[in-house]
């Protein structure tokens, strides 16, 4: 365990909870933008309007301490890991917004959490981070909760609706988020920054630069009018971007402190916040099997928290 991990201890859990809150706010803002801008323009909003906050975080981390921090280990492998994570984060965000168009807000977010078992698989293969037996059990219980959420609306006892568009987009979103998570965790391990926050700030800034340039150039080439519409929707876009950037800063910092599988399993707490937004603000109703699915996911979260 690195010195930064010893110093921070269990603080990574607070970072994850904060990330889940900020991410819920970002999802809600992006959901409202999808109807006006479309799925992929709303995806670009997350990175474009979040970039200034990521840059500000870096400036503060270098100017506030009496002795500015220093990173001695830059490598092409680091930028490769970041590029991998950045690409699949774009795909995951787009798939999540598509899932939200098929099912209600809380269910769409929960379907995306199929990423947890996939993170454990990819993390074991590429980062050699093997989850404990308790962690595997927690992931299995949480994934069973996801299965309950995929049941059809009118025939809750009939069969799982794995062939629905909502389930498909949820699985794609989970797979892409899983690969992105492994990429960002790999980058954090490669960078060896003197602190988790510095590692997170650099990761978010580099990733969002890549994402903004790539998507911005694509729209400038294929549909320049989209960029004008994004500029006009700056108020809601600024909320989505800032909340997304804040969430990413916390996620990336947590990746520097703890294994990818543990971080994303605890990150399922986002489902609770999504449920609150769905019921209180969007006035959406959850069916019985959806409530049981969310409950099982919470059991998995409790187990993972008590074992770390």
């Amino acid at each position: 365990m690195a010195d930064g991990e010893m110093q921070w201890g269990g603080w990574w859990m607070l970072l994850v909870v904060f990330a889940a809150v900020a991410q819920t706010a970002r999802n809600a803002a992006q959901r409202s933008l999808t109807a006006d801008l479309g799925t992929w323009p709303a995806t670009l909003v997350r990175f474009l309007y979040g970039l200034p906050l990521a840059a500000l975080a870096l400036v503060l981390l270098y100017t506030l301490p009496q002795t500015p921090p220093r990173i001695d280990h830059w490598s092409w492998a680091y930028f490769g890991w970041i590029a991998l994570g950045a690409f699949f984060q774009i795909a995951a965000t787009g798939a999540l917004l598509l899932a939200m168009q098929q099912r209600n807000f809380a269910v769409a977010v929960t379907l995306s959490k199929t990423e947890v078992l996939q993170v454990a698989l990819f993390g074991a293969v590429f980062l050699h981070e093997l989850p404990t037996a308790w962690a595997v059990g927690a992931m299995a219980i949480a994934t069973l909760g996801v299965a309950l959420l995929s049941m059809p609306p009118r025939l809750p006892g009939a069969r799982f609706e794995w062939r629905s568009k909502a389930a498909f987009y949820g699985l794609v979103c989970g797979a892409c988020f899983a690969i992105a998570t492994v990429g960002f965790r790999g980058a954090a391990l490669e960078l060896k920054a003197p602190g988790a926050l510095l590692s997170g700030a650099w990761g978010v800034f580099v990733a969002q630069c890549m994402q903004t340039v790539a998507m911005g150039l694509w729209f400038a080439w294929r549909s320049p009018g989209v960029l004008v519409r994004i500029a006009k929707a700056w108020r809601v876009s600024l909320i989505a971007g800032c909340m997304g950037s804040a969430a990413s800063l916390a996620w990336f910092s947590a990746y520097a402190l703890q294994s990818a599988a543990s971080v994303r399993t605890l990150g399922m707490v986002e489902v609770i916040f999504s449920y609150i937004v769905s019921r209180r603000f969007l006035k959406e109703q959850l069916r019985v099997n959806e409530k049981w699915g969310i409950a099982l996911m919470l059991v998995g979260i409790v187990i993972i928290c008590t074992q770390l």
Side-chain angles (χ1 to χ4, degrees):
M1 183 177 290
D3 293 339
E5 294 182 58
M6 290 293 292
Q7 180 181 356
W8 280 78
W11 280 89
W12 71 271
M13 294 185 181
L14 293 180
L15 288 170
V16 170
V17 173
F18 172 80
V21 173
Q23 188 159 291
T24 302
R26 184 211 72 204
N27 287 337
Q30 276 190 293
R31 185 180 190 267
S32 68
L33 287 168
T34 304
D36 297 328
L37 300 178
T39 299
W40 296 111
T43 302
L44 171 59
V45 160
R46 167 185 180 178
F47 309 120
L48 175 63
Y49 283 89
L51 192 55
L53 183 60
L56 176 61
L58 271 178
V59 170
L60 293 176
L61 286 171
Y62 276 95
T63 58
L64 290 181
Q66 291 183 347
T67 303
R70 202 177 89 182
I71 295 177
D72 298 320
H73 188 74
W74 294 97
S75 68
W76 286 111
Y78 171 76
F79 292 103
W81 282 115
I82 288 289
L84 175 71
F87 173 81
F88 279 97
Q89 192 178 45
I90 291 174
T93 303
L96 177 60
L97 294 177
L98 289 171
M100 287 181 183
Q101 295 176 18
Q102 301 296 322
R103 296 287 287 273
N104 72 42
F105 182 81
V107 173
V109 171
T110 309
L111 283 169
S112 72
K113 297 306 176 184
T114 53
E115 69 174 300
V116 170
L117 286 177
Q118 300 178 72
V119 166
L121 173 62
F122 293 134
V125 172
F126 295 107
L127 302 177
H128 307 293
E129 295 180 339
L130 299 177
T132 65
W134 278 103
V136 171
M139 295 170 197
I141 292 173
T143 303
L144 177 60
V146 173
L148 286 176
L149 285 166
S150 71
M151 295 174 72
R154 294 199 175 105
L155 299 171
R159 59 186 174 82
F160 293 139
E161 197 186 11
W162 290 114
R163 295 184 181 180
S164 70
K165 287 185 178 180
F168 172 75
Y169 290 139
L171 289 171
V172 170
C173 176
C176 291
F177 268 134
I179 298 174
T181 296
V182 170
F184 295 143
R185 168 67 173 171
L189 294 175
E190 183 70 28
L191 186 61
K192 298 180 177 65
L197 291 178
L198 186 64
S199 175
W202 270 115
V204 173
F205 180 74
V206 174
Q208 290 193 341
C209 281
M210 292 179 177
Q211 291 159 331
T212 298
V213 170
M215 296 194 74
L217 289 176
W218 170 263
F219 283 122
W221 175 45
R222 299 296 300 235
S223 184
V226 168
L227 299 178
V228 177
R229 287 160 50 206
I230 289 176
K232 289 181 178 179
W234 66 269
R235 290 179 179 84
V236 179
S237 297
L238 192 59
I239 295 173
C242 288
M243 288 297 99
S245 191
S248 294
L249 285 167
W251 286 125
F252 277 55
S253 299
Y255 296 146
L257 297 169
Q258 186 57 254
S259 71
S262 297
V263 168
R264 297 312 292 188
T265 302
L266 179 56
M268 282 184 166
V269 72
E270 180 189 351
V271 174
I272 302 174
F273 307 130
S274 299
Y275 173 77
I276 294 172
V277 170
S278 177
R279 289 296 302 272
R280 304 275 301 190
F281 299 103
L282 303 179
K283 307 301 180 183
E284 296 173 335
Q285 299 297 317
L286 293 182
R287 294 175 287 115
V288 174
N289 63 288
E290 291 173 344
K291 293 179 180 178
W292 275 107
I294 290 175
L296 283 174
M297 296 188 69
L298 297 181
V299 171
I301 292 171
V302 171
I303 293 174
I304 203 72
C305 288
T306 56
Q307 297 302 312
L308 292 172

mmCIF file of all heavy atoms in Angstrom, residues 73-90:
data_model
loop_
_atom_site.group_PDB
_atom_site.id
_atom_site.type_symbol
_atom_site.label_atom_id
_atom_site.label_comp_id
_atom_site.label_asym_id
_atom_site.label_seq_id
_atom_site.Cartn_x
_atom_site.Cartn_y
_atom_site.Cartn_z
ATOM 1 N N HIS A 73 6.786 11.015 -12.576
ATOM 2 C CA HIS A 73 6.635 9.843 -13.445
ATOM 3 C C HIS A 73 5.517 10.074 -14.472
ATOM 4 O O HIS A 73 4.360 9.741 -14.237
ATOM 5 C CB HIS A 73 6.321 8.605 -12.600
ATOM 6 C CG HIS A 73 6.340 7.322 -13.385
ATOM 7 N ND1 HIS A 73 7.511 6.733 -13.801
ATOM 8 C CD2 HIS A 73 5.342 6.531 -13.838
ATOM 9 C CE1 HIS A 73 7.222 5.622 -14.464
ATOM 10 N NE2 HIS A 73 5.914 5.481 -14.508
ATOM 11 N N TRP A 74 5.865 10.691 -15.597
ATOM 12 C CA TRP A 74 4.944 10.784 -16.726
ATOM 13 C C TRP A 74 5.359 9.741 -17.761
ATOM 14 O O TRP A 74 6.545 9.564 -18.017
ATOM 15 C CB TRP A 74 4.987 12.171 -17.366
ATOM 16 C CG TRP A 74 4.475 13.263 -16.475
ATOM 17 C CD1 TRP A 74 5.214 14.100 -15.704
ATOM 18 C CD2 TRP A 74 3.114 13.618 -16.256
ATOM 19 N NE1 TRP A 74 4.396 14.974 -15.019
ATOM 20 C CE2 TRP A 74 3.091 14.706 -15.338
ATOM 21 C CE3 TRP A 74 1.895 13.146 -16.737
ATOM 22 C CZ2 TRP A 74 1.917 15.300 -14.906
ATOM 23 C CZ3 TRP A 74 0.718 13.742 -16.316
ATOM 24 C CH2 TRP A 74 0.736 14.806 -15.409
ATOM 25 N N SER A 75 4.408 9.074 -18.349
ATOM 26 C CA SER A 75 4.751 8.039 -19.324
ATOM 27 C C SER A 75 3.650 7.930 -20.365
ATOM 28 O O SER A 75 2.508 8.358 -20.157
ATOM 29 C CB SER A 75 4.922 6.683 -18.621
ATOM 30 O OG SER A 75 3.674 6.226 -18.114
ATOM 31 N N TRP A 76 3.999 7.327 -21.498
ATOM 32 C CA TRP A 76 3.005 7.097 -22.538
ATOM 33 C C TRP A 76 1.961 6.101 -22.068
ATOM 34 O O TRP A 76 0.800 6.142 -22.520
ATOM 35 C CB TRP A 76 3.681 6.608 -23.815
ATOM 36 C CG TRP A 76 4.416 7.675 -24.541
ATOM 37 C CD1 TRP A 76 5.770 7.799 -24.692
ATOM 38 C CD2 TRP A 76 3.847 8.796 -25.224
ATOM 39 N NE1 TRP A 76 6.084 8.921 -25.409
ATOM 40 C CE2 TRP A 76 4.914 9.563 -25.763
ATOM 41 C CE3 TRP A 76 2.542 9.244 -25.433
ATOM 42 C CZ2 TRP A 76 4.704 10.721 -26.493
ATOM 43 C CZ3 TRP A 76 2.335 10.402 -26.160
ATOM 44 C CH2 TRP A 76 3.400 11.124 -26.677
ATOM 45 N N ALA A 77 2.368 5.196 -21.174
ATOM 46 C CA ALA A 77 1.407 4.230 -20.646
ATOM 47 C C ALA A 77 0.287 4.942 -19.885
ATOM 48 O O ALA A 77 -0.885 4.559 -19.966
ATOM 49 C CB ALA A 77 2.120 3.232 -19.732
ATOM 50 N N TYR A 78 0.657 6.005 -19.145
ATOM 51 C CA TYR A 78 -0.349 6.776 -18.413
ATOM 52 C C TYR A 78 -1.382 7.357 -19.378
ATOM 53 O O TYR A 78 -2.598 7.222 -19.164
ATOM 54 C CB TYR A 78 0.328 7.897 -17.637
ATOM 55 C CG TYR A 78 -0.652 8.884 -17.023
ATOM 56 C CD1 TYR A 78 -1.374 8.559 -15.884
ATOM 57 C CD2 TYR A 78 -0.860 10.144 -17.598
ATOM 58 C CE1 TYR A 78 -2.287 9.449 -15.337
ATOM 59 C CE2 TYR A 78 -1.759 11.040 -17.051
ATOM 60 C CZ TYR A 78 -2.468 10.693 -15.918
ATOM 61 O OH TYR A 78 -3.371 11.568 -15.377
ATOM 62 N N PHE A 79 -0.916 8.003 -20.445
ATOM 63 C CA PHE A 79 -1.839 8.611 -21.403
ATOM 64 C C PHE A 79 -2.634 7.545 -22.158
ATOM 65 O O PHE A 79 -3.780 7.793 -22.572
ATOM 66 C CB PHE A 79 -1.069 9.514 -22.370
ATOM 67 C CG PHE A 79 -0.500 10.739 -21.715
ATOM 68 C CD1 PHE A 79 0.851 10.810 -21.405
ATOM 69 C CD2 PHE A 79 -1.315 11.806 -21.379
ATOM 70 C CE1 PHE A 79 1.380 11.935 -20.791
ATOM 71 C CE2 PHE A 79 -0.799 12.934 -20.766
ATOM 72 C CZ PHE A 79 0.550 12.998 -20.458
ATOM 73 N N GLY A 80 -2.047 6.365 -22.318
ATOM 74 C CA GLY A 80 -2.780 5.270 -22.944
ATOM 75 C C GLY A 80 -3.941 4.804 -22.081
ATOM 76 O O GLY A 80 -5.058 4.576 -22.570
ATOM 77 N N TRP A 81 -3.685 4.642 -20.770
ATOM 78 C CA TRP A 81 -4.753 4.264 -19.848
ATOM 79 C C TRP A 81 -5.856 5.318 -19.834
ATOM 80 O O TRP A 81 -7.053 4.996 -19.836
ATOM 81 C CB TRP A 81 -4.200 4.080 -18.440
ATOM 82 C CG TRP A 81 -3.486 2.806 -18.157
ATOM 83 C CD1 TRP A 81 -2.166 2.649 -17.854
ATOM 84 C CD2 TRP A 81 -4.047 1.487 -18.125
ATOM 85 N NE1 TRP A 81 -1.860 1.325 -17.631
ATOM 86 C CE2 TRP A 81 -2.997 0.593 -17.794
ATOM 87 C CE3 TRP A 81 -5.316 0.969 -18.348
ATOM 88 C CZ2 TRP A 81 -3.202 -0.787 -17.681
ATOM 89 C CZ3 TRP A 81 -5.532 -0.406 -18.232
ATOM 90 C CH2 TRP A 81 -4.473 -1.264 -17.906
ATOM 91 N N ILE A 82 -5.467 6.598 -19.792
ATOM 92 C CA ILE A 82 -6.445 7.686 -19.774
ATOM 93 C C ILE A 82 -7.278 7.688 -21.053
ATOM 94 O O ILE A 82 -8.511 7.862 -21.018
ATOM 95 C CB ILE A 82 -5.745 9.050 -19.599
ATOM 96 C CG1 ILE A 82 -5.211 9.205 -18.176
ATOM 97 C CG2 ILE A 82 -6.710 10.194 -19.914
ATOM 98 C CD1 ILE A 82 -6.284 9.397 -17.115
ATOM 99 N N ALA A 83 -6.623 7.505 -22.197
ATOM 100 C CA ALA A 83 -7.349 7.488 -23.467
ATOM 101 C C ALA A 83 -8.354 6.339 -23.509
ATOM 102 O O ALA A 83 -9.482 6.501 -24.001
ATOM 103 C CB ALA A 83 -6.352 7.369 -24.626
ATOM 104 N N LEU A 84 -7.950 5.184 -22.996
ATOM 105 C CA LEU A 84 -8.863 4.046 -22.933
ATOM 106 C C LEU A 84 -10.093 4.397 -22.096
ATOM 107 O O LEU A 84 -11.238 4.177 -22.517
ATOM 108 C CB LEU A 84 -8.144 2.834 -22.331
ATOM 109 C CG LEU A 84 -9.002 1.589 -22.086
ATOM 110 C CD1 LEU A 84 -9.372 0.943 -23.418
ATOM 111 C CD2 LEU A 84 -8.266 0.588 -21.198
ATOM 112 N N GLY A 85 -9.847 4.940 -20.906
ATOM 113 C CA GLY A 85 -10.953 5.310 -20.037
ATOM 114 C C GLY A 85 -11.818 6.399 -20.640
ATOM 115 O O GLY A 85 -13.055 6.352 -20.545
ATOM 116 N N ALA A 86 -11.204 7.393 -21.282
ATOM 117 C CA ALA A 86 -11.944 8.518 -21.850
ATOM 118 C C ALA A 86 -12.877 8.066 -22.960
ATOM 119 O O ALA A 86 -14.041 8.489 -23.027
ATOM 120 C CB ALA A 86 -10.968 9.566 -22.374
ATOM 121 N N PHE A 87 -12.396 7.203 -23.834
ATOM 122 C CA PHE A 87 -13.221 6.719 -24.939
ATOM 123 C C PHE A 87 -14.437 5.960 -24.431
ATOM 124 O O PHE A 87 -15.573 6.211 -24.858
ATOM 125 C CB PHE A 87 -12.394 5.824 -25.868
ATOM 126 C CG PHE A 87 -13.207 5.159 -26.944
ATOM 127 C CD1 PHE A 87 -13.555 5.865 -28.095
ATOM 128 C CD2 PHE A 87 -13.638 3.853 -26.800
ATOM 129 C CE1 PHE A 87 -14.320 5.255 -29.089
ATOM 130 C CE2 PHE A 87 -14.409 3.241 -27.786
ATOM 131 C CZ PHE A 87 -14.743 3.942 -28.934
ATOM 132 N N PHE A 88 -14.207 5.029 -23.525
ATOM 133 C CA PHE A 88 -15.323 4.208 -23.051
ATOM 134 C C PHE A 88 -16.246 4.987 -22.108
ATOM 135 O O PHE A 88 -17.411 4.632 -21.962
ATOM 136 C CB PHE A 88 -14.800 2.936 -22.380
ATOM 137 C CG PHE A 88 -14.425 1.872 -23.374
ATOM 138 C CD1 PHE A 88 -13.106 1.712 -23.769
ATOM 139 C CD2 PHE A 88 -15.383 1.063 -23.944
ATOM 140 C CE1 PHE A 88 -12.755 0.756 -24.710
ATOM 141 C CE2 PHE A 88 -15.055 0.102 -24.887
ATOM 142 C CZ PHE A 88 -13.739 -0.058 -25.274
ATOM 143 N N GLN A 89 -15.755 6.050 -21.490
ATOM 144 C CA GLN A 89 -16.635 6.899 -20.695
ATOM 145 C C GLN A 89 -17.629 7.645 -21.586
ATOM 146 O O GLN A 89 -18.788 7.841 -21.216
ATOM 147 C CB GLN A 89 -15.817 7.893 -19.870
ATOM 148 C CG GLN A 89 -16.640 8.618 -18.807
ATOM 149 C CD GLN A 89 -15.800 9.565 -17.984
ATOM 150 O OE1 GLN A 89 -14.983 10.318 -18.509
ATOM 151 N NE2 GLN A 89 -15.979 9.539 -16.677
ATOM 152 N N ILE A 90 -17.179 8.063 -22.754
ATOM 153 C CA ILE A 90 -18.086 8.694 -23.716
ATOM 154 C C ILE A 90 -19.187 7.719 -24.105
ATOM 155 O O ILE A 90 -20.385 8.052 -24.086
ATOM 156 C CB ILE A 90 -17.320 9.150 -24.972
ATOM 157 C CG1 ILE A 90 -16.386 10.322 -24.646
ATOM 158 C CG2 ILE A 90 -18.294 9.560 -26.082
ATOM 159 C CD1 ILE A 90 -15.493 10.733 -25.808
#
